[in-house]
Amino acid sequence: MNLFTKIISQALNLREEAVENTLKLLDEGATIPFISRYRKERTGGLDEVQITLISDWNDRLKELSKRKETIIKTITEQEKMTPELQARIEQCWNANELEDIYLPYRPKRRTRAQIAREQGLEPFANYIFLQRGSLKNLPSSLSTILSKVGEDAALAGAKDIIAEKISEDEGTRNVIRSEFQRFAVISSKVIKAKQDTDEAAKYSDYFDFSEPLRKCSSHRLLAIRRGENEEILRVSISADDEQCVEKLKRHYVHGFGELQTLVGEAVEDSFKRLLKPSIENEFAASSKEKADEEAIKVFAENLRQLLLAAPLGQKRVMAIDPGYANGCKIACLDEQGGLLHHEIIYPHPPQRHYAEATVALQRMIKNYRVEAIAIGNGTASRESQQFAKEAIEEMSLTTKPSSSKSVHATTEKPKEPLVPQIYVVSEDGASIYSASKTAREEFPNEDVTVRGAVSIARRLMDPLSELVKIDPKNIGVGQYQHDVDQAKLKHSLDLTVESCVNLVGVNLNTASTYLLMYISGLGPTLAKNIVDYRAENGAFSSRAQLKKVPRLGASAFQQCAGFLRIPDAKNPLDNSAVHPESYGIVEQMAKDQNCTVKELVANKELQKNIQLERYVTAEVGIPTLQDIRKELEKPGRDPRQQIEVFEFDPNVKTFDDLVEGMELPGIVTNITNFGAFVDIGVHQDGLVHISQLADRFVKDPNEIVKLHQHVRVRVMEVDSRRHRISLSMKGL
């Protein structure tokens, strides 16, 4: 059992064997989705969250190991390494403690203390620090130094040496660290020159702000730090200075006298000039890191909900990218998401060619057999919904058979009038996609407006397949995403996308490169190779054919195969989450039931007769067998929910229509750790503060609401000056 295993096991309260096996699988190149889905026996059934935590801890410990190597090398080169010191460094797995050990040896700029040492003042500083004599009875060696340097300069230099020694002491740093942990306060003040500027207005809540650091929520801390970065706020973190100095004096000053006074002065200088700024920086960094983690967690959860939003499926869809002066961009797509037609209509002011636009919309619905309409939620969205609704209603009336006689006048059944459902779709990131390399490759002959409309339609058909083409940061469901650690944010969001794609699984014969690259074990190169192979050789008829794809070896096949689906495959297991390595088990199950695999998949009664215990082996346990049985019940089942139609209140269309006390339908558009934003159809989302989400205490808004959930809200306050809407869900 290696050291990392023990540390991680204790930190996460997990069994050492499960952690050890997980680390081995990760080192072998297994992905988190693969381990959690197909290696439950080895991990003891750890889920993706636990495996991700193990992976993150492992990465941090590796970094700490590298840091320790650097520290040992540096101290050794200084010829100051001792066996005791090396043992302390090697046994230390706390980053702050490690840096405290290293601090006295760390190469630094030429400090005031260093200058004093160069003048030979260290013995004099040590004499003062011991506090066992007086300045009047100095040893002759120290008197010589004093006369050479000068009394005032010698005293100042000695105090500088003492101040640095105190600031580099581990125990001292822990005392101040403890004070900051218990009593640190974060404060912000507006920089007066910026106070009346437009840029500063959004930070008005923090012009004179103060709060205990441990109580400062992540969104407030990130807002304050953004204001500081924009040079609008001046921010500080401090504990009780007098109390900190007093504690240090009680430790370092022994009795009364002139030497004690000098040590007391050195203590004060050490705290104000060296200790306080250093510990403040440490707490600024750690509080920012904690706030980043919380914000990234919120973003990842929102992204997960968005990617796993209910798909419409393979239907003929018309997209309306709404607008006023530039018109509404229309795109008609076939069941596979292929572009059939596009044009622009002008139903809204200033042109307002309403009748002409109505005829055009009805013509396209008929010609392209449109089954659903996706309308972007941006400018003119509500007006476009009303326009489309009226056009469809008029169309339904005019296409109804005029009498029963006309129905029987032909041997053919009369076609039902087309009544496509209308859905509102988030536009966030559509403009980014439309101008991207990906969009240019997909539609080299179309402009950005057409690509944007196509993206809106495809988001309705399958949100996951379309949104993977966009950098998650641009999807619009984050909280201060540009203020957090960008490397950590990317890592978390990439893992989230990978998790969602593998949870749903993808159709091997229709999936794009952008979707396939997130499948376990693939990546951009193999994803492209699969698409190229498919283009040259036609659709895959079995998972086994994947082995013919260039550079897709046994390891990659093992990782990816279970997440790829072939709907019309000869072997029904190829359209399930049953891994090829388990096909033999299913075949034996079918044989024991005197049927084929196909018959076993189709017959629930036969499945009930399966006794899982009969198929347990050294490698395959009950958890895997239970997963296999679930898949036999519903092979290839999509874990996402069914899509629902939503309509805003028809009487409320603008901000000015809002009245306090109104109850309205809305769609959750974003979730933060302080509440949820809800679109109520007035081009300005309202905020349901966390305290207004339910009639009970709510710790996490995700307990109550999910992204794109349909909710009812009550208007509590309408702030016309700041254009803010406060909403409540209490009692609704």
Side-chain angles (χ1 to χ4, degrees):
M1 207 70 72
N2 68 46
L3 181 59
F4 283 12
T5 296
K6 293 182 181 295
I7 295 171
I8 296 170
S9 174
Q10 290 174 4
L12 300 179
N13 195 26
L14 296 172
R15 290 188 308 108
E16 287 188 1
E17 184 183 4
V19 173
E20 178 82 357
N21 287 339
T22 301
L23 290 175
K24 284 180 181 176
L25 286 164
L26 289 168
D27 286 342
E28 290 166 8
T31 66
I32 292 170
F34 176 81
I35 295 170
S36 66
R37 182 66 178 79
Y38 296 113
R39 292 295 180 264
K40 291 180 179 178
E41 284 77 12
R42 289 185 65 180
T43 68
L46 297 181
D47 60 26
E48 282 195 8
V49 174
Q50 292 168 313
I51 296 168
T52 301
L53 287 172
I54 291 172
S55 177
D56 289 345
W57 264 91
N58 190 42
D59 290 342
R60 284 202 296 271
L61 292 174
K62 284 180 178 177
E63 285 299 315
L64 204 56
S65 291
K66 290 179 183 176
R67 178 64 177 154
K68 285 159 74 168
E69 288 174 9
T70 301
I71 289 171
I72 289 170
K73 182 183 177 185
T74 303
I75 298 175
T76 302
E77 287 174 351
Q78 295 174 11
E79 298 182 352
K80 295 178 181 178
M81 183 60 75
T82 64
E84 295 78 16
L85 179 58
Q86 182 155 346
R88 279 202 67 199
I89 294 169
E90 288 174 348
Q91 292 165 15
C92 178
W93 292 100
N94 177 284
N96 282 335
E97 184 183 339
L98 182 65
E99 294 304 326
D100 282 351
I101 294 170
Y102 180 44
L103 186 59
Y105 308 96
R106 188 172 64 193
K108 51 178 86 75
R109 296 192 306 271
R110 196 160 173 261
T111 63
R112 284 161 47 173
Q114 184 60 34
I115 294 169
R117 289 190 186 96
E118 290 169 2
Q119 294 174 320
L121 290 171
E122 189 148 29
F124 183 44
N126 292 337
Y127 177 81
I128 294 172
F129 201 32
L130 286 172
Q131 304 165 58
R132 291 177 185 167
S134 70
L135 293 177
K136 293 178 182 176
N137 299 305
L138 290 174
S140 57
S141 59
L142 297 183
S143 297
T144 304
I145 294 171
L146 214 65
S147 60
K148 183 179 178 182
V149 177
E151 185 174 341
D152 290 344
L155 288 172
K159 286 194 288 185
D160 286 339
I161 291 171
I162 294 169
E164 186 171 276
K165 186 179 293 187
I166 290 170
S167 75
E168 292 179 347
D169 180 77
E170 286 180 59
T172 299
R173 295 182 71 81
N174 283 330
V175 166
I176 303 305
R177 199 173 276 132
S178 176
E179 288 295 303
F180 268 72
Q181 283 172 343
R182 295 169 64 195
F183 305 113
V185 171
I186 184 167
S187 304
S188 62
K189 301 274 186 186
V190 66
I191 295 172
K192 294 202 172 172
K194 300 285 186 72
Q195 185 168 350
D196 298 321
T197 63
D198 292 338
E199 305 89 66
K202 58 187 173 184
Y203 299 107
S204 58
D205 292 344
Y206 306 109
F207 280 2
D208 189 11
F209 175 83
S210 182
E211 184 177 40
L213 181 62
R214 67 179 185 275
K215 292 184 178 179
C216 187
S217 63
S218 65
H219 66 273
R220 281 201 294 275
L221 192 139
L222 289 171
I224 290 168
R225 289 300 180 189
R226 180 187 286 181
E228 180 183 40
N229 291 336
E230 293 179 7
E231 299 183 342
I232 291 167
L233 301 176
R234 187 171 286 111
V235 182
S236 65
I237 295 174
S238 62
D240 186 323
D241 289 6
E242 290 184 11
Q243 188 170 301
C244 289
V245 171
E246 190 58 36
K247 278 199 168 187
L248 295 182
K249 282 185 175 179
R250 283 201 297 270
H251 181 73
Y252 284 108
V253 180
H254 313 303
F256 302 93
E258 56 184 349
L259 296 186
Q260 286 81 358
T261 299
L262 290 170
V263 173
E265 290 170 358
V267 166
E268 290 180 12
D269 177 53
S270 178
F271 175 75
K272 291 175 183 174
R273 181 169 59 86
L274 301 172
L275 273 169
K276 181 182 176 181
S278 174
I279 301 298
E280 179 179 354
N281 287 340
E282 186 180 298
F283 273 76
S286 63
S287 61
K288 172 66 165 57
E289 184 177 359
K290 183 181 176 184
D292 282 2
E293 287 174 1
E294 289 186 29
I296 290 170
K297 184 179 177 183
V298 169
F299 198 150
E301 179 56 32
N302 284 350
L303 178 63
R304 172 176 290 275
Q305 292 177 24
L306 191 63
L307 293 174
L308 296 179
L312 179 68
Q314 292 187 317
K315 306 274 188 184
R316 289 188 161 238
V317 176
M318 169 190 286
I320 301 179
D321 186 357
Y324 290 116
N326 295 322
C328 295
K329 276 69 73 180
I330 311 292
C332 298
L333 278 61
D334 63 21
E335 295 88 341
Q336 283 74 43
L339 179 62
L340 299 171
H341 174 76
H342 64 84
E343 65 180 88
I344 300 177
I345 59 176
Y346 298 89
H348 310 311
Q351 288 92 337
R352 193 163 173 76
H353 300 155
Y354 195 87
E356 194 177 298
T358 299
V359 170
L361 193 78
Q362 292 171 344
R363 166 178 46 79
M364 286 184 277
I365 290 173
K366 287 179 184 176
N367 289 352
Y368 300 103
R369 304 194 307 281
V370 172
E371 298 170 85
I373 296 177
I375 299 178
N377 67 342
T379 305
S381 177
R382 287 295 302 278
E383 295 83 349
S384 297
Q385 283 176 257
Q386 187 61 32
F387 158 70
K389 187 177 179 182
E390 290 172 1
I392 291 168
E393 286 174 353
E394 180 186 303
M395 188 178 178
S396 300
L397 289 171
T398 57
T399 54
K400 280 184 179 179
S402 58
S403 68
S404 59
K405 185 178 180 181
S406 61
V407 172
H408 296 290
T410 175
T411 56
E412 292 184 11
K413 285 186 178 180
K415 287 185 180 179
E416 288 293 324
L418 291 168
V419 186
Q421 294 277 19
I422 298 173
Y423 300 88
V424 178
V425 178
S426 170
E427 291 183 6
D428 287 329
S431 59
I432 301 291
Y433 161 77
S434 62
S436 69
K437 180 185 177 185
T438 303
R440 291 195 301 273
E441 288 173 353
E442 286 193 283
F443 301 102
N445 300 318
E446 308 295 348
D447 65 22
V448 291
T449 62
V450 175
R451 297 173 195 154
V454 170
S455 182
I456 289 170
R458 287 179 173 177
R459 288 181 187 205
L460 177 63
M461 298 171 75
D462 189 343
L464 181 61
S465 295
E466 190 62 19
L467 292 173
V468 293
K469 302 173 186 175
I470 305 169
D471 186 333
K473 287 189 296 184
N474 297 319
I475 294 178
V477 291
Q479 173 192 348
Y480 297 101
Q481 60 260 41
H482 300 295
D483 300 291
V484 302
D485 185 303
Q486 295 300 295
K488 288 182 179 178
L489 176 64
K490 184 178 187 309
H491 175 68
S492 176
L493 299 186
D494 284 347
L495 286 178
T496 301
V497 176
E498 180 183 49
S499 170
C500 292
V501 171
N502 287 284
L503 174 66
V504 173
V506 305
N507 185 328
L508 181 55
N509 286 323
T510 60
S512 66
T513 305
Y514 316 103
L515 194 58
L516 287 168
M517 64 188 282
Y518 285 104
I519 287 292
S520 171
L522 294 183
T525 301
L526 287 179
K528 184 176 185 303
N529 290 354
I530 288 172
V531 172
D532 290 346
Y533 182 89
R534 194 172 67 199
E536 291 174 16
N537 300 279
F540 286 88
S541 59
S542 72
R543 282 171 168 168
Q545 275 185 275
L546 282 164
K547 296 176 181 178
K548 297 180 180 179
V549 173
R551 299 179 66 182
L552 202 155
S555 177
F557 177 80
Q558 181 189 55
Q559 293 289 311
C560 74
F563 303 105
L564 298 170
R565 311 277 186 268
I566 305 175
D568 301 316
K570 184 177 179 181
N571 186 339
L573 298 180
D574 281 347
N575 191 37
S576 75
V578 176
H579 197 281
E581 66 189 8
S582 298
Y583 283 9
I585 297 170
V586 181
E587 288 163 3
Q588 186 60 50
M589 288 175 175
K591 185 178 179 182
D592 292 344
Q593 296 297 320
N594 295 313
C595 67
T596 65
V597 169
K598 196 169 186 178
E599 289 167 341
L600 183 62
V601 170
N603 193 318
K604 299 288 187 290
E605 292 303 316
L606 289 173
Q607 293 166 18
K608 288 178 184 176
N609 294 333
I610 297 172
Q611 297 176 0
L612 298 183
E613 295 77 12
R614 294 181 58 185
Y615 305 98
V616 173
T617 66
E619 291 78 28
V620 180
I622 292 296
T624 292
L625 294 169
Q626 287 173 334
D627 285 344
I628 289 172
R629 184 156 65 183
K630 285 178 187 174
E631 275 301 307
L632 294 178
E633 291 171 3
K634 294 181 179 179
R637 176 177 57 89
D638 193 321
R640 295 172 289 182
Q641 295 181 343
Q642 295 294 311
I643 196 166
E644 296 178 359
V645 177
F646 174 84
E647 287 189 11
F648 291 113
D649 189 313
N651 300 312
V652 178
K653 297 178 181 177
T654 68
F655 193 90
D656 295 332
D657 293 334
L658 294 175
V659 177
E660 291 179 14
M662 274 183 170
E663 291 186 10
L664 302 168
I667 300 176
V668 178
T669 57
N670 202 358
I671 301 172
T672 68
N673 55 12
F674 57 85
F677 288 93
V678 177
D679 182 359
I680 52 176
V682 296
H683 306 299
Q684 174 65 47
D685 289 356
L687 172 65
V688 183
H689 189 267
I690 191 169
S691 62
Q692 295 296 321
L693 282 169
D695 293 312
R696 61 176 177 81
F697 173 75
V698 177
K699 185 178 180 181
D700 179 1
N702 281 290
E703 297 171 15
I704 307 297
V705 292
K706 299 298 178 187
L707 209 60
H708 289 179
Q709 181 179 333
H710 300 171
V711 296
R712 284 198 68 79
V713 294
R714 184 185 301 108
V715 179
M716 290 179 62
E717 183 183 356
V718 182
D719 186 339
S720 301
R721 186 178 67 84
R722 294 197 291 180
H723 219 62
R724 289 184 180 177
I725 306 164
S726 297
L727 305 171
S728 175
M729 287 172 53
K730 282 187 172 182
L732 296 174

